[in-house]
Amino acid sequence: MDLRYISTRGKAEAVSASVAVINGLCSDGGLYVPESIPRLSVGLDKLAELDYKETAYLVLKEFMTDYTEDELKHCINMAYDEKFDTPEIAPVKVGDEYSFLELFHGKTIAFKDMALSLLPHLLTTALKKNHIEEEVVILTATSGDTGKAALAGFADVEGTRIIVFYPKGGVSRFQELQMVTQKGKNVSVSSVKGNFDDCQSGVKNIFNDEEFRASLKEKGYILSSANSINIGRLFPQVAYYVYAYGRMVKNGSISCGDELNVSVPTGNFGNILAAYYAKQMGIPLGKLICASNENNVLYDFFKSGTYDKNREFILTSSPSMDILISSNLERLIYYLAGRDCDKTAAFMADLSKQGKYTLDKSMMDLAHDFVPEYATEDEVAATIHNVNEWMGYVIDPHTAVATAAASMYKSVFPTDNTPCLVVSTASPYKFTKSVMKAVDDEKPVYSTEGIVSLDDMDDFELIDKLHEISGVDIPNAVEEIRSAKILHDNVCEKEEMKAFVEKTLNK
Ligand SMILES: *Cc1c(COP(=O)(O)O)cnc(C)c1O
């Protein structure tokens, strides 16, 4: 029997994995969850011998049961290839205090590549399996990171088109360059004269425009999004926890069967939820440290049982975690509610009406695996500085949030000697200014112009400076952008986004 996927809110039809990948979101607004959580089919002692692709297959075959072995292996081979700058795909760096799971070796040097390299292949395979002939058009609004990862994932994938909108002036120069230099015959990028919210509403309006969708369908197109709530993004993330456990055994950091704590820099709650699934599958993970920045809505939730998004939104040096609604949390709420869909739906209704909901104590007791911590901007900078001083290892601000959280946990629970794996979600080369300021504080930077401040340097000057100081090779993905040709120079008004989609697809 195939594993079926049901809605956390209980009012949508149960579907197979491939249909859940195509649909993304359930028709009742809920998220797809598997009817039961499968266990791994091999013993823990076997994991150390498996490479990344073999591990990914081991995990995915349990969740994506209506895909054949050939289909899954094909998808995995297409995803985890030379796009990654190391054959290990997700290497573990061993340190004295913590080990680091590096998830930034893909095309955009950040962790969304882990899932967005695989999703396009899972999606096109799903369309074929379900006899959907239309070409799928991915529409994405981005504040920077997801857009480039989606572009890189979908570029030149047969049977797909991808269109990305970003706010003009609302992303960093480096992020903009990443997007406007994207190659691929099926990719289109346009900036929008407006902010990120305008881009997002524009995309939402296109999705909700039934008439427009019908006209696209006539032309042979269906719309989809590469949203982080899609099970095709969630389950590929389980694989790296299973892989990391095997690596930690292999490198002698733990013995097979030992517990391992993980500290995860958290925004939308997808990454840490994948750790939760890995634990349910049989990986002996101990505490799941949920690390937030100053947008600490999850910290308050795990401490008090109340999720309250009514608060100031703070811009931090870890922008991918600047989030007030963690959409994947709904899946955990469903489990804490004892898989009660009506209860889950009621909490989510409270969230949309009042911006908050409260779980009772007995439900929160079930969340005992999760330990919340958060780091302030000063703590993030100090952590980047200290980790570099202590182990000559340069980390980015997101990873620093998780590292700071891991040491806070350690100081609160000094008797827990379980080794801790810090999940490292971005290369320091992605956030060079914050990293340089933290690593190189107070040292003046000399140039032919005299002393220049870090604030006056452009992204590539900072990149060269960071290379000089850290000795870490500049990733290929960065070097490519330095010299790449600009291929997309579209700008549109917010009202013109639909017209841009039309024009692109009529070409
Ligand atoms: C998206 C992202 C996160 C947060 O991951 P979630 O799955 O949304 O919790 C953390 N770090 C980086 C660099 C990211 O891009």
Side-chain angles (χ1 to χ4, degrees):
M1 257 302 273
D2 277 333
L3 183 60
R4 307 288 289 173
Y5 284 81
I6 54 176
S7 167
T8 48
R9 302 188 192 176
K11 299 271 188 295
E13 200 187 339
V15 298
S16 66
S18 67
V19 173
V21 168
I22 295 170
N23 292 353
L25 194 70
C26 302
S27 56
D28 62 357
L31 309 191
Y32 284 110
V33 280
E35 240 167 9
S36 61
I37 301 177
R39 304 278 299 180
L40 284 174
S41 60
V42 306
L44 289 178
D45 54 325
K46 296 288 183 300
L47 297 180
E49 290 145 35
L50 302 182
D51 69 14
Y52 194 83
K53 291 187 204 177
E54 290 165 335
T55 311
Y57 176 67
L58 194 70
V59 170
L60 289 172
K61 81 182 171 81
E62 300 300 334
F63 285 109
M64 309 289 202
T65 59
D66 70 324
Y67 288 71
T68 66
E69 176 171 351
D70 283 351
E71 285 170 343
L72 276 184
K73 286 190 169 161
H74 175 74
C75 291
I76 290 167
N77 284 332
M78 298 292 283
Y80 303 117
D81 59 6
E82 297 74 41
K83 289 194 286 298
F84 286 77
D85 65 14
T86 160
E88 286 179 89
I89 307 296
V92 173
K93 287 273 146 68
V94 182
D96 292 339
E97 199 75 33
Y98 310 109
S99 292
F100 293 86
L101 172 60
E102 295 185 349
L103 301 180
F104 55 75
H105 289 275
K107 268 287 175 204
T108 75
I109 57 177
F111 111 96
K112 296 205 172 49
D113 291 329
M114 300 304 295
L116 277 166
S117 304
L118 188 55
L119 175 75
H121 304 289
L122 293 174
L123 179 59
T124 50
T125 306
L127 293 170
K128 258 188 232 136
K129 295 177 72 64
N130 291 282
H131 312 292
I132 294 171
E133 318 258 298
E134 285 90 358
E135 202 167 7
V136 59
V137 180
I138 306 291
L139 279 191
T140 303
T142 186
S143 55
D145 274 357
T146 307
K148 172 63 185 185
L151 284 168
F154 279 93
D156 287 329
V157 173
E158 208 62 48
T160 72
R161 299 280 205 109
I162 173 151
I163 303 174
V164 170
F165 293 103
Y166 68 91
K168 187 81 201 154
V171 303
S172 77
R173 179 67 190 144
F174 183 74
Q175 286 174 320
E176 182 170 33
L177 278 175
Q178 278 193 309
M179 291 189 275
V180 298
T181 59
Q182 177 67 49
K183 290 185 202 144
K185 56 183 189 307
N186 62 338
V187 307
S188 311
V189 179
S190 179
S191 62
V192 175
K193 289 186 194 158
N195 58 27
F196 174 56
D197 278 340
D198 297 324
C199 293
Q200 214 165 19
S201 330
V203 165
K204 245 193 203 146
N205 290 341
I206 297 174
F207 269 103
N208 292 336
D209 187 337
E210 293 296 336
E211 204 178 313
F212 184 56
R213 286 175 78 135
S215 83
L216 286 183
K217 194 156 168 111
E218 251 165 53
K219 291 183 199 138
Y221 297 112
I222 53 168
L223 293 183
S224 182
S225 73
N227 226 304
S228 87
I229 48 95
N230 195 304
I231 64 160
R233 279 185 64 181
L234 180 60
F235 296 129
Q237 298 179 174
V238 176
Y240 50 72
Y241 288 103
V242 177
Y243 179 73
Y245 190 86
R247 292 298 103 174
M248 294 286 282
V249 171
K250 193 168 175 127
N251 71 29
S253 303
I254 53 175
S255 303
C256 188
D258 284 357
E259 276 204 345
L260 177 65
N261 291 342
V262 292
S263 183
V264 186
T266 299
N268 231 341
F269 210 75
N271 198 351
I272 196 164
L273 186 72
Y276 176 80
Y277 276 110
K279 182 166 181 173
Q280 309 301 315
M281 288 189 96
I283 300 298
L285 299 180
K287 293 299 178 199
L288 313 177
I289 300 168
C290 177
S292 300
N293 62 27
E294 289 178 2
N295 294 292
N296 56 0
V297 58
L298 285 166
Y299 174 85
D300 290 344
F301 166 66
F302 281 112
K303 285 284 178 199
S304 68
T306 297
Y307 191 95
D308 186 354
K309 72 156 182 112
N310 305 307
R311 61 180 71 210
E312 191 194 345
F313 179 80
I314 301 165
L315 290 173
T316 73
S317 58
S318 44
S320 302
M321 298 160 66
D322 290 343
I323 278 175
L324 292 182
I325 296 190
S326 301
S327 31
N328 265 300
L329 185 65
E330 179 169 343
R331 288 190 167 103
L332 180 67
I333 300 300
Y334 164 82
Y335 291 116
L336 300 182
R339 299 177 184 244
D340 184 329
C341 301
D342 292 337
K343 255 190 181 172
T344 310
F347 289 128
M348 293 306 127
D350 287 348
L351 180 65
S352 83
K353 268 190 242 103
Q354 294 142 34
K356 61 177 178 179
Y357 57 84
T358 300
L359 271 55
D360 61 37
K361 174 141 186 333
S362 67
M363 287 176 73
M364 290 313 291
D365 284 345
L366 297 175
H368 55 82
D369 283 343
F370 292 88
V371 182
E373 297 289 355
Y374 76 93
T376 63
E377 288 294 273
D378 285 346
E379 286 165 337
V380 168
T383 304
I384 295 173
H385 185 89
N386 293 341
V387 171
N388 183 47
E389 295 283 306
W390 292 334
M391 58 183 274
Y393 184 62
V394 183
I395 57 177
D396 98 292
H398 301 77
T399 310
V401 169
T403 311
S407 40
M408 290 173 206
Y409 173 78
K410 200 86 189 118
S411 62
V412 181
F413 299 97
T415 54
D416 183 356
N417 290 318
T418 311
C420 185
L421 180 71
V422 173
V423 177
S424 177
T425 51
S427 159
Y429 281 106
K430 191 143 194 173
F431 300 95
T432 359
K433 188 164 283 175
S434 312
V435 171
M436 280 294 299
K437 282 189 172 170
V439 168
D440 196 41
D441 56 350
E442 286 161 42
K443 278 186 223 130
V445 176
Y446 297 97
S447 80
T448 47
E449 321 258 297
I451 296 176
V452 287
S453 125
L454 292 173
D455 287 318
D456 299 332
M457 295 169 79
D458 75 21
D459 284 329
F460 286 105
E461 288 172 319
L462 286 163
I463 283 164
D464 289 335
K465 200 78 206 160
L466 179 58
H467 173 63
E468 226 176 279
I469 287 174
S470 70
V472 178
D473 287 342
I474 300 176
N476 290 340
V478 172
E479 285 301 0
E480 278 168 18
I481 285 158
R482 197 195 292 259
S483 53
K485 266 225 308 272
I486 292 185
L487 302 172
H488 310 272
D489 58 359
N490 308 301
V491 189
C492 68
E493 303 287 340
K494 339 184 245 235
E495 299 78 19
E496 292 171 347
M497 291 169 66
K498 191 163 104 182
F500 182 79
V501 172
E502 237 165 355
K503 195 180 83 193
T504 304
L505 297 179
N506 283 339
K507 255 186 222 154

